[in-house]
Amino acid sequence: MRTKTGFSSCISCLLFPLEAMAEVKASLLCAVVAACLSSAVLAFVEDLDDTFKDTRVNDIWLVDFYAPWCGYCKKLEPVWQEVGAELKRSGSPVRVGKMDATAYSGMASEFGVRGYPTIKLLKGDLAYNYKGPRTKDDIVEFANRVAGPAVRALPSKQMFEHMMKRHDVLFVYVGGVSPLKEKYNDVASELIVYTYFFSASEESLPESVTLPELPAVVVFKDGTYFTYNEYEEGSLSSWVNKERFQGYLQIDGFTLYELGETGKLVAIAVIDEKDPTEESGRLKALIQRVAKEYREHFNRDFQFGHMDGNDYINSLIMGEVTVPSVIILNTSNEQYFLPREPIETMEQLVQFINSVLNGSAQAYGGDGFIQRLKRVAFDAKSTVMSVFRSSPLLGCFLFGLPLGVISLMCYGICTAESDDGSYDIDALKREGMTDEEEEEDEDRQHSAELEGPEEENEEEDVAEKDPEEKKTD
């Protein structure tokens, strides 16, 4: 019995180190795999240097120009790693890189980098700026769109319907070779950063689509389609730029920035989607109806939509917008328009829009000199308040220390004593004197200095006399 017990204890003693070694090996293996995976992910994004200019020509590059001290750049870093991994995984021809624009400032200036971070897709001799939201999906979609051909073919009705389901706005050229097709290709190469461009034969279109003549450029959106008319719309580029948005959409900061490039006024229903009210729903529905039913009247000059919350609008106009309400923004000159009375009916909303269009509505804001000064003061105040809200101690240190130093300097300057005044007065007196007068003045000063001590000694002698001597005197 003792022999079995001893044997089993020996077996357990031998197995314990083996199990421990197995666990150590497993942990080491996991660490190695994790390190390999992390290095593989990092390998999807290449660090670029000054040799990039000569080696980039044969490839398509998506580059993040950053600064090491930039907070927004640090926030983009993990997203950028995901972008590199996604493009590599999907088999995209786009190579992803990043460049320290402060270390290679000359090359960054050649590519037109003026802020951080700046995202550019480099394709041959062309450089396309990305100005959309800094999310993985949006950046990957931009890279795949711009890296491909400027104009994609739709060879069948099935492919056409598939693209209609994928895209809210679809530009299509229909017809054969023509001068209009050349213009369309040029516009596609210019504006592919914003939207997709396709070409199709008339047989590939849905049966519900009828075109008066060919060739034609058609935009499909909002459940219908509109045809480009050169005589009414002007240049094709301007028409595409204005039509690349849906008639009504949800607006945020990025969208509002892009809408500014269309030259349109933006009519917005400011609502709170987290706490929807009947008034919010009514205003939103009114804006939607005007966008659809009055397209022929307002589409050329207005874009319609709604915005969740008033924080962005308040910072834009440097004021307070009530929620819910309607506001019209002119992003080209930073003017805005507010209705004189609450909007309750569709007729009131149409009348308000017409008053803005014909110039009878009162405009607020603008980009004048006084307004720019207000903007500087407002931005400074907002920055200070945000710093104090996020970190009061840091705010006290950043703003209190310089104010304290300046106060001490001012106090020292105001309380400092100077002996240069008497010298300046004497110098002024001597300016109008001749040489003889200056010599006489110096002699008088010299004699006064000699007589001064004697008089002082006499006074001291008088002070030292006894009271009896004073009586005798």
Side-chain angles (χ1 to χ4, degrees), residues 53-71:
K53 182 179 179 181
D54 301 325
T55 59
R56 76 170 186 86
V57 181
N58 298 325
D59 295 307
I60 302 174
W61 282 90
L62 184 66
V63 183
D64 168 29
F65 294 90
Y66 70 96
W69 43 262
C70 171

Side-chain angles (χ1 to χ4, degrees), residues 29-188:
L29 182 61
C30 292
V32 171
V33 171
C36 291
L37 289 175
S38 62
S39 62
V41 171
L42 293 175
F44 296 151
V45 178
E46 303 180 38
D47 286 312
L48 307 177
D49 54 21
D50 51 3
T51 62
F52 171 69
K53 182 179 179 181
D54 301 325
T55 59
R56 76 170 186 86
V57 181
N58 298 325
D59 295 307
I60 302 174
W61 282 90
L62 184 66
V63 183
D64 168 29
F65 294 90
Y66 70 96
W69 43 262
C70 171
Y72 294 105
C73 301
K74 295 178 181 177
K75 188 176 180 180
L76 178 63
E77 177 66 22
V79 177
W80 200 247
Q81 300 295 339
E82 294 178 1
V83 169
E86 178 66 23
L87 290 174
K88 188 72 173 180
R89 189 184 306 115
S90 62
S92 172
V94 179
R95 300 176 65 178
V96 181
K98 60 179 182 176
M99 177 180 289
D100 185 349
T102 60
Y104 305 102
S105 57
M107 185 171 296
S109 62
E110 288 185 17
F111 288 113
V113 177
R114 293 181 175 85
Y116 311 114
T118 294
I119 299 174
K120 288 179 176 286
L121 188 136
L122 308 176
K123 182 181 178 182
D125 296 331
L126 301 176
Y128 298 92
N129 291 326
Y130 176 73
K131 301 178 181 178
R134 289 166 186 162
T135 64
K136 184 199 76 173
D137 294 337
D138 289 299
I139 297 174
V140 168
E141 197 271 342
F142 163 81
N144 289 329
R145 181 175 69 246
V146 180
V151 179
R152 292 168 166 83
L154 298 176
S156 63
K157 290 184 178 181
Q158 291 79 7
M159 181 62 72
F160 189 95
E161 293 175 357
H162 175 69
M163 287 300 167
M164 284 287 293
K165 293 177 181 178
R166 288 190 58 186
H167 304 286
D168 296 324
V169 179
L170 203 68
F171 289 96
V172 182
Y173 172 82
V174 184
V177 178
S178 67
L180 180 61
K181 185 175 182 179
E182 295 180 1
K183 292 181 182 178
Y184 183 77
N185 291 336
D186 294 337
V187 171

Side-chain angles (χ1 to χ4, degrees), residues 180-240:
L180 180 61
K181 185 175 182 179
E182 295 180 1
K183 292 181 182 178
Y184 183 77
N185 291 336
D186 294 337
V187 171
S189 299
E190 175 190 355
L191 300 180
I192 195 173
V193 293
Y194 300 121
T195 187
Y196 285 91
F197 294 87
F198 298 91
S199 64
S201 63
E202 191 174 10
E203 292 76 17
S204 301
L205 300 179
E207 296 179 356
S208 58
V209 177
T210 56
L211 301 177
E213 60 180 2
L214 295 178
V217 177
V218 188
V219 58
F220 295 84
K221 66 176 186 178
D222 301 330
T224 183
Y225 62 93
F226 308 96
T227 306
Y228 166 68
N229 189 322
E230 184 177 2
Y231 300 102
E232 295 181 0
E233 306 296 343
S235 69
L236 179 60
S237 176
S238 176
W239 180 78
V240 170

Side-chain angles (χ1 to χ4, degrees), residues 7 36 139 147 203 208 210 223 262 264 281 295 355 376 426 453:
F7 180 75
C36 291
I139 297 174
E203 292 76 17
S208 58
T210 56
T262 65
K264 290 185 177 183
R295 172 185 163 82
S355 67
V376 172
D426 294 339

